[in-house]
Amino acid sequence: MIQEPLWTGLGLVGALNARVSGGIAREASGVSIDTRTLQRGDLFLAIKGDVHDGHDFVRAAHDKGAAAAVVDEAHARDFPDAGPLYVVKDVQAALERLGAYARARSGAYVAAITGSVGKTSTKDMARVVFSRFGATHASAASYNNHWGVPLSLARMHAATRYGLFELGMNHAGEIAALVEQVKPHVAVVTRVAAVHLENFPNIEGIADAKAEIFGGLVGGGVAIVNRDDETYERLARAAVASPAAHVFTFGQHESSDARLISYEMQGDAGVGEARIFGRRIDFLVHAPGVHMAQNALAVLLVAHVFDLDLDQAAAALEEFTPSVGRGRREQLAIAGGEITLIDESYNANPTSMRAAFELLKAAPVGPGGRRIAVLGDMLELGPHSGEMHAELGEDLARAGVDLLFTAGPNMARAHYAAPESMRAEHRSTATELEEPVLASLRPGDVVMVKGSNGSRMGAIVKAMREKSSSSANAS
Ligand SMILES: Nc1ncnc2c1ncn2[C@@H]1O[C@H](COP(=O)(O)OP(=O)(O)OP(=O)(O)O)[C@@H](O)[C@H]1O
Ligand SMILES: [Mg+2]
């Protein structure tokens, strides 16, 4: 089999619209904007971020074996003898040109995924499913912004059969600009929720910004929306007014095209029965929660649009495991037995918090065990942040949580709003909460840790794992 390079050195000249200096690269096997993760053979683009200017790392990139670096005219003379350089007027614009070129040369089926929550989970489920059917390329991690999207496009091989891209936004207009680059055949809005409210007057404003994704569909494409979403009508109206030829829906609502008929937890997996355009499909996802089943339905709808066999697609779903901090479950040894850890430390907003409480409620506890919630601040919620934290008190009570640990100035509101019998400890930071949480653990406990990434609840998860491996070594 001939293995074509991602980019040939000559091909890059035109795609970047660059002039060459210091010799020409033979080929590039990858594209990078960060020397910490750069691989030998990658093309390095010196992008200016909020903190760093990539031009300060061009030498490091060449030292790590970069095939070439893309720099701007102002810095063209700063790197004599460093290695091949592509010189452009503006590196960000060159990255976007490279992404556009990759998209234009591609014959792939392309799907774009946005939403307030569930983008990465849905994209990663789709990656697992479509890999079963052909060469699949998907955005790395949550690379969903003005550099993440063109970078993900630029990394798409010409031979890719399925391309999956995550699109995110903080402001109106951003999704429109990103989807313009992706030109998807299918556009999915996973779920609209009160996230990033600081830049929007209300949830309708968020729905409108997410719905921009439909405007970038290629003619005859398909819009996919969550039928259970509170802003469903608004999203569907926007989809109908877009270039989409069809609007398909998923959810529990009886009129959903992909409808979740039943769902139950079996161990750490969710087992669902769906009806997709009238056809019964059974599936299992190793990621508990109805929200994950909903993401799975969105993926199956995309598979349907791409004309794939749905039974095979549903079977492939079983290979999905959620990535770090998004609901992954593990058993940890502690003195005298085991606890179950539900790691949700990557991300939090009121919607995903409630979904996580449901997970905790449904998780079986061992003899003598308790349901423990360890919560850090939900960030970027805007002016109503205080109320949104306080409202969690009732949800915690409904979820039958036995013990509540909280960290951060915002989560203090949840601490005081929760029933007194549930309140364990509150501390101002995650670091300070580590010790009381570890000290309280008993065999049989189920512990769910959740907060926005910036609240650093991941450190508590790490401490639990470390304590567990040291206690496992000692016994
Ligand atoms: N459909 C959903 N509804 C509610 N919560 C969800 C849904 N899908 C995933 N979640 C939860 O939301 C959190 C974030 O999930 P995920 O990383 O998939 O979202 P994202 O939209 O990619 O987030 P980001 O904006 O950080 O990239 C996780 O805790 C996950 O369990
Ligand atoms: Mg994401």
Side-chain angles (χ1 to χ4, degrees):
M1 198 176 98
I2 304 168
Q3 191 67 54
E4 292 290 329
L6 177 63
W7 295 101
T8 64
L10 266 180
L12 283 170
V13 179
L16 292 163
N17 189 20
R19 77 179 169 83
V20 177
S21 150
I24 194 158
R26 207 164 69 79
E27 61 181 55
S29 47
V31 181
S32 167
I33 61 166
D34 186 337
T35 49
R36 288 168 299 182
T37 49
L38 181 132
Q39 302 288 310
R40 173 166 290 280
D42 281 356
L43 175 73
F44 176 73
L45 289 104
I47 296 285
K48 268 196 201 72
D50 297 335
V51 186
H52 296 293
D53 182 346
H55 290 96
D56 298 336
F57 300 91
V58 171
R59 233 164 247 294
H62 277 120
D63 288 348
K64 278 191 89 178
V70 183
V71 301
D72 65 21
E73 288 286 358
H75 295 85
R77 265 175 282 285
D78 297 356
F79 316 102
D81 313 321
L85 294 178
Y86 291 93
V87 183
V88 298
K89 207 168 129 226
D90 177 278
V91 182
Q92 170 70 29
L95 176 62
E96 288 167 22
R97 276 198 297 279
L98 194 61
Y101 197 98
R103 176 66 188 91
R105 74 178 181 183
S106 171
Y109 295 87
V110 174
I113 298 164
T114 194
S116 304
V117 283
K119 298 181 288 295
T120 300
S121 304
T122 304
K123 182 251 311 167
D124 287 342
M125 273 184 205
R127 182 210 306 263
V128 169
V129 168
F130 296 126
S131 296
R132 182 72 74 95
F133 296 92
T136 298
H137 170 77
S139 314
S142 282
Y143 283 16
N144 63 27
N145 62 5
H146 64 284
W147 56 260
V149 171
L151 178 63
S152 300
L153 282 165
R155 288 174 168 179
M156 178 162 64
H157 234 272
T160 297
R161 182 102 174 264
Y162 303 103
L164 309 166
F165 298 92
E166 174 169 337
L167 274 54
M169 62 98 189
N170 292 312
H171 299 94
E174 288 173 353
I175 298 274
L178 297 174
V179 74
E180 179 76 17
Q181 301 174 44
V182 175
K183 303 192 193 320
H185 302 106
V186 184
V188 181
V189 177
T190 54
R191 172 106 201 240
V192 173
V195 187
H196 295 309
L197 258 182
E198 79 262 43
N199 299 320
F200 291 93
N202 49 37
I203 195 166
E204 285 76 22
I206 297 180
D208 293 346
K210 297 291 180 193
E212 290 170 13
I213 197 170
F214 303 133
L217 278 165
V218 299
V222 176
I224 295 184
V225 286
N226 186 332
R227 186 64 186 78
D228 303 338
D229 217 289
E230 65 171 289
T231 58
Y232 160 73
E233 298 286 347
R234 207 173 174 94
L235 290 166
R237 268 202 306 279
V240 166
S242 81
H246 303 282
V247 182
F248 293 162
T249 59
F250 63 96
Q252 288 174 298
H253 192 280
E254 60 182 9
S255 74
S256 310
D257 297 313
R259 180 182 172 200
L260 188 63
I261 305 287
S262 70
Y263 176 82
E264 64 170 16
M265 293 289 306
Q266 291 180 6
D268 68 350
V271 177
E273 179 195 332
R275 215 158 285 271
I276 302 184
F277 289 103
R279 181 145 160 238
R280 178 181 168 163
I281 302 288
D282 295 295
F283 65 96
L284 181 152
V285 195
H286 290 286
V290 174
H291 58 295
M292 286 294 185
Q294 294 234 0
N295 297 339
L297 289 186
V299 171
L300 292 173
L301 268 185
V302 179
H304 171 82
V305 175
F306 289 171
D307 209 20
L308 302 177
D309 181 84
L310 284 185
D311 291 314
Q312 258 189 45
L317 262 179
E318 291 186 23
E319 282 159 39
F320 167 80
T321 45
S323 45
V324 175
R326 292 184 189 80
R328 191 180 279 181
R329 269 178 206 217
E330 32 197 307
Q331 296 299 123
L332 298 180
I334 63 164
E338 268 186 1
I339 61 160
T340 303
L341 166 68
I342 305 176
D343 177 9
E344 286 268 353
S345 60
Y346 170 74
N347 189 313
N349 55 61
T351 306
S352 69
M353 268 292 178
R354 292 196 179 96
F357 295 166
E358 288 300 313
L359 292 186
L360 184 56
K361 186 177 179 183
V365 296
R370 301 149 306 172
R371 292 193 171 84
I372 304 178
V374 183
L375 308 181
D377 285 352
M378 304 183 285
L379 304 175
E380 304 177 350
L381 288 182
H384 300 292
S385 174
E387 287 123 85
M388 288 170 159
H389 281 85
E391 280 162 16
L392 295 179
E394 272 181 34
D395 296 297
L396 284 160
R398 260 199 302 277
V401 169
D402 298 305
L403 273 186
L404 173 66
F405 290 89
T406 49
N410 298 309
M411 246 338 143
R413 297 283 299 266
H415 172 83
Y416 292 109
E420 212 169 336
S421 58
M422 182 190 298
R423 289 182 215 158
E425 301 284 340
H426 175 78
R427 295 283 190 279
S428 50
T429 65
T431 316
E432 293 161 78
L433 194 62
E434 226 171 271
E435 198 265 312
V437 169
L438 292 183
S440 80
L441 298 180
R442 290 206 308 241
D445 284 346
V446 183
V447 187
M448 191 275 290
V449 184
K450 191 166 180 73
S452 286
N453 204 18
S455 307
R456 310 232 174 276
M457 300 301 282
I460 298 182
V461 170
K462 194 160 163 254
M464 286 172 64
R465 288 197 188 109
E466 276 161 12
K467 180 172 174 178
S468 163
S469 61
S470 64
S471 80
N473 290 343
S475 60

